[in-house]
Amino acid sequence: MTKTGDIQKMHTTLEGSHAIYHLPIDNDLVAMNGLVGQKILLKFNGEITCSNCGRTIRKSYSQGFCYPCCQDLARCDLCIMKPETCHHHLGTCREPQWGLDNCFAPHIIYLANSSGIKVGITRKSNIPSRWIDQGAVAALPILEVDTRLKSGKIEEALKAFVNDKTNWRKMLKNEVDKVDLVATKNQLLPEVSNMMADLDAIALSNEVVKIHYPVVEYPSKVTSLNLDKTPEISGVLQGIKGQYLLLDTGVFNIRKFSSYNITLTY
Ligand SMILES: [Zn+2]
C-alpha cells in the first residue's frame, strides 16, 4: 500500500489499557498498530505546507506552521508551554477568542510516569491523548481547575517537589522508574492545600490509568531519524511509543515533521 499527503501528529486513543495509533495523511487515517512488525518506507517529497494558512514553506516552526503563523497564533505563544504566564487578563492574548475557548476550560493537573515521575497539566478534553503522546506508562489525574492559568500555578508549585520533564531517550528505551503515583499524590497535595482552596481546585479520585504501547522490541540505543537530512527512511517498525515510530534503523518523531508531505509505503 502507498499513501501520499501531509502528515500530522498521530491520533491516539486507549482501548482498555492499549494505546491505539492512527496517522493522518491528508484526509486518510492509517491504522498504525497493524504495521508493527512490518517493513515501512517514509519518503519526504520536499514540500511542507503550513497547517494553519496553507502556504508552502521551506522550514516549519512550532511543529508545522509558517513563521508568520507561528508569531500570530496563540497556540504557538510561550504561555502555552508556561501556562502560569497566561496573559489573557492583560488583553494581550494573540487570539482572545481562541484563548477563551481553549484556556478557559477545565484543566487537569496530573502525575505521570514516562521515564520517572513527573507533574503535568492538560486540558481535560486532551485526556488520555496527552499521556500517550508523552509515552507515559501510567498516569494519575490529581486535581481539576477551571482555567489553564490556575493549572499552571499549581504545576509551578508542585515542580518544587517533582520533575516536569520527560527524559525521552529513557522513555523510548523503556527505562522507566518504578513509582507509586498514589503515594506521591498523597505526599504532594498537603504542600499545595492553600493554593487548592484559593483556586477552587477539585481533588480527584485515585484511579491510575495504565498504558501499554504496541512495541515488540525497544531500542537499546536511540538514534533519531530526520527527513531534512535523510528524505527516505525505511526499516522494520518495531513499535510505537509517544509520538515516535521505533524502527530497527532509528526512531522517528512524527510530531517534529507535522505538515511534511510524505509517501508512506507498507
Ligand atoms: Zn501559515
Side-chain angles (χ1 to χ4, degrees), residues 16-222:
S17 64
H18 293 276
I20 308 293
Y21 287 94
H22 287 87
L23 175 66
I25 302 185
D26 279 353
N27 296 322
D28 270 339
L29 282 176
V30 179
M32 295 301 288
N33 293 55
L35 302 188
V36 173
Q38 288 187 36
K39 183 158 183 177
I40 63 168
L41 169 71
L42 285 159
K43 183 168 164 285
F44 175 38
N45 300 317
E47 211 162 82
I48 311 170
T49 305
C50 171
S51 57
N52 184 58
C53 71
R55 90 176 81 189
T56 303
I57 47 179
R58 295 172 62 96
K59 182 172 175 353
S60 111
Y61 295 85
S62 284
Q63 299 164 343
F65 299 105
C66 70
Y67 185 73
C69 285
C70 171
Q71 295 295 301
D72 291 346
L73 294 170
R75 77 200 76 159
C76 300
D77 200 346
L78 264 183
C79 50
I80 293 299
M81 296 301 288
K82 293 177 174 288
E84 71 279 10
T85 62
C86 172
H87 47 96
H88 197 280
H89 58 287
L90 300 175
T92 51
C93 185
R94 290 176 177 182
E95 297 173 276
Q97 187 58 47
W98 187 93
L100 284 179
D101 295 342
N102 290 275
C103 302
F104 290 77
H107 275 66
I108 299 290
I109 298 111
Y110 62 84
L111 296 175
N113 186 11
S114 36
S115 56
I117 201 154
K118 63 159 265 169
V119 60
I121 67 120
T122 187
R123 249 184 92 171
K124 193 177 185 183
S125 57
N126 276 342
I127 282 175
S129 289
R130 178 77 180 145
W131 302 328
I132 300 172
D133 288 352
Q134 292 178 337
V137 297
L140 175 66
I142 56 173
L143 295 169
E144 178 174 340
V145 288
D146 61 2
T147 69
R148 189 172 180 86
L149 174 59
K150 289 181 187 176
S151 70
K153 286 182 172 172
I154 296 176
E155 182 191 31
E156 193 57 19
L158 291 174
K159 276 193 223 170
F161 309 97
V162 274
N163 205 341
D164 67 322
K165 300 278 187 309
T166 295
N167 179 329
W168 63 276
R169 289 177 183 274
K170 279 180 74 184
M171 180 275 283
L172 291 178
K173 290 195 274 188
N174 206 34
E175 291 171 0
V176 183
D177 298 345
K178 288 243 181 304
V179 295
D180 184 335
L181 296 178
V182 174
T184 308
K185 166 191 165 171
N186 290 335
Q187 287 164 10
L188 288 179
L189 286 192
E191 305 285 352
V192 292
S193 56
N194 289 343
M195 196 175 236
M196 284 169 59
D198 289 347
L199 301 177
D200 295 320
I202 304 162
L204 302 172
S205 69
N206 286 336
E207 274 174 55
V208 175
V209 177
K210 298 249 186 211
I211 305 170
H212 292 106
Y213 294 89
V215 178
V216 289
E217 193 173 338
Y218 286 98
S220 51
K221 181 167 153 271
V222 172

